[in-house]
Amino acid sequence: MAEPLERRAIISGVGQSAIGRRLFRDDLDLTCEAALRAIADAGLRVEDIDGIATYPGPIQGGGGGFSGPGVYDVQDSLGVDVRWHLSGLEGPAQISPIIHATLAVAAGLCRHALIYRTVTEATASADTGRRGIGAGSAEIPGFTAFLVPFGAMSAANWLALYARRHMHEYGTKKEHLGIIAMTDRKHAALNSAAVYREPMTMADYLAARPVSDPFGLYDCDAPVDGSTAIIVSSADAARDLPHPAVRINAVGTAIRARPMWDQWQDITTMASRDAAEHMWSRTDLKPADVDTVQLYDGFSFLALAWLEALGFCGKGESGPFVENGRLDLDGELPFNTWGGQLSGGRLHGFGFVAEACRQLRGECGERQVKDCEIAAVGVGGGPVAGCMLLTR
Amino acid sequence: MFRPLPALEPRTEAFWRACRAGRLEFTHCVPCNFFIHPSRPICPRCRGRNLDTVAVSGRATLHSYTINHKAWFPGQEVPYVIALVQLIEQEGLRLVTNVVNCAVDDVHIDMRLRVVFETLNDDIALPLFEPEA
């Protein structure tokens, strides 16, 4: 195979805004803060940015602090010209614009792309609590018409169906989901930017109020306000960076089954299976080479699905795999070292990319993974998935 | 319980109206003898347009379920059972629905179910499922 095009791009900069529960700040304001930090981190001038992309950008029904500002508002705020720009909901999960930026840079459409994801879901739900999808709507359109009228008004419901079936077929236990939540919390204690850092025991986990069985409160990620910005640059910019470049070894974008929450056939698997297989087909590296995994945990069970998808264990074996501290910072496969979305906050995919970059650059202080050279990032759940293998 | 209404859209209207008339029916490819849900303008197997609409028995098994405890809007009654049911006519022909007329603790994977319809208005009913007697 010819060298994958994504290797002609690097991640040159990472920046995050303030992150918190209910910051009561404008999403464009947070985005500019993250963007300026990422640009400075890459050692660039704002004028050097010639590409901008985000997920999802303006979308129908995108209220509730979910969408973040569109690329044109950000371009106009930064006062730059761009040669490439993109947003959209459909694609290989929330990191879709990062993956596509690597290809745009590799193709020469632009040289330094700013990609961001901004959420203000905590502030947006401050007065109402967390509402369901379609709550308050007179009529439910599109694919959600086959879910929402039946009270399946959250991805928590949709994915609980997957988790329950996995438990039925493979004997996966609620406590295995608990290990994911507890590992996240343990690592969040080492990250001053994480939103939930108090110690959590298995008893605490099991006593949480139920949401959608088998998911309880601590299986569901924490809505936050915050913006994460990533700079993707041409690989030849690596020599000018003030820090080690993060290289994009391979990406995975495949989906090989019906791309629908309710019509996905083998619900003990997810699109992560296909994206991961695709990613491994584009590299000589193997799962055993990976030093840390940063895996989407919008719901605890998604992380188990990613471990199986990426081949760290066999199909159905993720429950026992996570036992005995394997995912701990000093374990065999350090996992979500920033606290994940369950404890670090629901930065919606980009938090995992930011942490992988920091680990590879050796900037993580007391939560640093020793000799960290290869990081796997998997984002998405259900019929939505994208992944990247990043190296130093 | 209060339910948000499915929108009557060109590709889904017939499904909801059939439910209102007491029939669970799907778009169906005649040459493939294959049910297509949600409805598509062509058959995803043969890519042909020889499609009709065929009612099914309404019998199903429970493929997976979750007991929802969280009220997603003010005043929503909880808990209730969200189910993914497998219709007996075709492997993979599934609906997300509710199991009703059954104690929450008695719900279990692979239980046999049959359709019942809950009327929402003059145009729309929802296909729900109850234990097969």
Side-chain angles (χ1 to χ4, degrees):
Chain A
M1 186 175 73
E3 178 160 272
L5 210 58
E6 54 265 39
R7 291 188 201 163
R8 297 187 196 172
I10 58 169
I11 295 178
S12 59
V14 177
Q16 288 180 304
S17 69
I19 295 165
R21 300 273 292 167
R22 293 169 197 170
L23 299 177
F24 295 100
R25 283 176 60 186
D26 174 59
D27 59 2
L28 186 56
D29 175 30
L30 291 170
T31 304
C32 290
E33 184 169 281
L36 293 173
R37 287 176 180 173
I39 294 165
D41 179 63
L44 297 173
R45 301 170 305 149
V46 177
E47 294 75 14
D48 294 325
I49 297 299
D50 61 355
I52 302 181
T54 192
Y55 173 98
I59 54 169
Q60 192 179 6
F66 174 79
S67 307
V71 294
Y72 303 131
D73 284 338
V74 173
Q75 180 189 352
D76 197 51
S77 298
L78 295 176
V80 294
D81 299 329
V82 299
R83 298 192 287 165
W84 175 79
H85 46 101
L86 175 85
S87 74
L89 190 65
E90 293 184 315
Q94 297 91 323
I95 57 172
S96 171
I98 302 177
I99 291 173
H100 290 106
T102 70
L103 302 180
V105 165
L109 280 175
C110 61
R111 180 168 169 78
H112 298 289
L114 163 70
I115 308 98
Y116 63 91
R117 174 79 182 104
T118 304
V119 285
T120 50
E121 292 181 300
T123 289
S125 62
D127 295 332
T128 61
R130 198 146 173 82
R131 305 284 289 268
I133 293 165
S137 301
E139 289 193 330
I140 307 301
F143 78 95
T144 53
F146 290 104
L147 296 164
V148 168
F150 302 94
M153 300 179 71
S154 163
N157 299 137
W158 310 344
L159 288 165
L161 296 169
Y162 289 56
R164 167 66 62 204
R165 185 74 196 184
H166 196 276
M167 291 172 152
H168 175 76
E169 289 196 23
Y170 298 110
T172 311
K173 295 182 172 68
K174 171 82 172 164
E175 285 79 1
H176 293 133
L177 305 180
I179 292 173
I180 296 296
M182 290 169 64
T183 306
D184 275 335
R185 183 61 65 90
K186 205 167 2 180
H187 293 164
L190 306 175
N191 174 15
S192 62
V195 293
Y196 292 125
R197 305 181 65 202
E198 312 75 29
M200 182 170 70
T201 66
M202 185 61 86
D204 295 333
Y205 167 79
L206 293 172
R209 66 178 161 82
V211 174
S212 188
D213 171 74
F215 296 154
L217 186 63
Y218 295 141
D219 294 295
C220 307
D221 58 5
V224 295
D225 302 335
S227 179
T228 304
I230 302 288
I231 311 295
V232 170
S233 296
S234 178
D236 62 38
R239 60 178 179 272
D240 301 326
L241 292 180
H243 52 70
V246 171
R247 298 187 180 275
I248 300 150
N249 183 267
V251 301
T253 58
I255 177 165
R256 301 188 206 277
R258 295 186 69 190
M260 308 170 75
W261 293 91
D262 55 330
Q263 299 300 325
W264 188 266
Q265 291 295 296
D266 179 0
I267 61 168
T268 66
T269 67
M270 300 187 184
S272 49
R273 171 197 67 192
D274 305 329
E277 180 192 32
H278 191 202
M279 183 184 82
W280 291 123
S281 76
R282 298 173 68 78
T283 181
D284 293 328
L285 294 171
K286 303 292 179 205
D289 298 320
V290 171
D291 298 307
T292 183
V293 288
Q294 305 293 332
L295 302 180
Y296 197 79
D297 59 352
F299 301 98
S300 55
F301 177 67
L302 301 181
L304 294 184
W306 270 110
L307 289 167
E308 294 180 20
L310 286 162
F312 292 106
C313 60
K315 186 172 185 226
E317 296 173 358
S318 56
F321 180 81
V322 302
E323 293 173 354
N324 302 318
R326 192 177 246 134
L327 302 184
D328 289 355
L329 190 53
D330 59 356
E332 188 183 308
L333 191 64
F335 161 87
N336 289 3
T337 46
W338 60 292
Q341 290 187 184
L342 292 177
S343 286
R346 178 179 157 81
L347 296 169
H348 217 214
F350 276 45
F352 303 97
V353 180
E355 179 71 1
C357 292
R358 289 174 180 146
Q359 286 288 354
L360 292 168
R361 284 160 50 169
E363 297 170 351
C364 286
E366 59 178 335
R367 69 174 196 274
Q368 179 63 45
V369 172
K370 201 159 163 271
D371 302 324
C372 188
E373 295 184 341
I374 300 171
V377 177
V379 174
V384 179
C387 52
M388 297 194 293
L389 196 60
L390 304 177
T391 64
R392 184 161 66 196
Chain B
M1 77 186 212
F2 171 80
R3 295 177 182 276
L5 285 170
L8 293 176
E9 297 182 302
R11 289 198 300 273
T12 60
E13 182 175 348
F15 177 86
W16 303 114
R17 288 190 187 280
C19 288
R20 180 65 181 82
R23 300 187 310 272
L24 182 59
E25 57 185 39
F26 298 96
T27 300
H28 170 265
C29 176
V30 175
C32 295
N33 189 24
F34 183 72
F35 291 101
I36 303 164
H37 176 74
S39 183
R40 302 297 186 198
I42 64 172
C43 170
R45 290 205 161 174
C46 71
R47 283 84 186 188
R49 292 175 179 273
N50 186 2
L51 309 178
D52 59 1
T53 302
V54 173
V56 296
S57 65
R59 294 172 60 214
T61 58
L62 185 61
H63 190 70
S64 192
Y65 70 96
T66 177
I67 302 164
N68 180 68
H69 296 270
K70 175 165 169 63
W72 297 112
F73 53 85
Q76 188 185 27
E77 287 173 41
V78 293
Y80 54 90
V81 178
I82 299 168
L84 179 63
V85 302
Q86 164 67 55
L87 298 167
I88 63 166
E89 277 78 7
Q90 176 176 300
E91 173 61 29
L93 182 62
R94 294 180 189 158
L95 293 171
V96 167
T97 179
N98 302 118
V99 172
V100 295
N101 304 327
C102 179
V104 165
D105 289 343
D106 292 340
V107 174
H108 60 273
I109 285 179
D110 293 337
M111 71 188 293
R112 290 163 180 252
L113 302 164
R114 68 180 176 200
V115 72
V116 292
F117 295 98
E118 181 176 312
T119 296
L120 298 190
N121 62 25
D122 288 346
D123 302 309
I124 298 169
L126 299 184
L128 309 182
F129 285 78
E130 65 178 10
E132 198 173 60

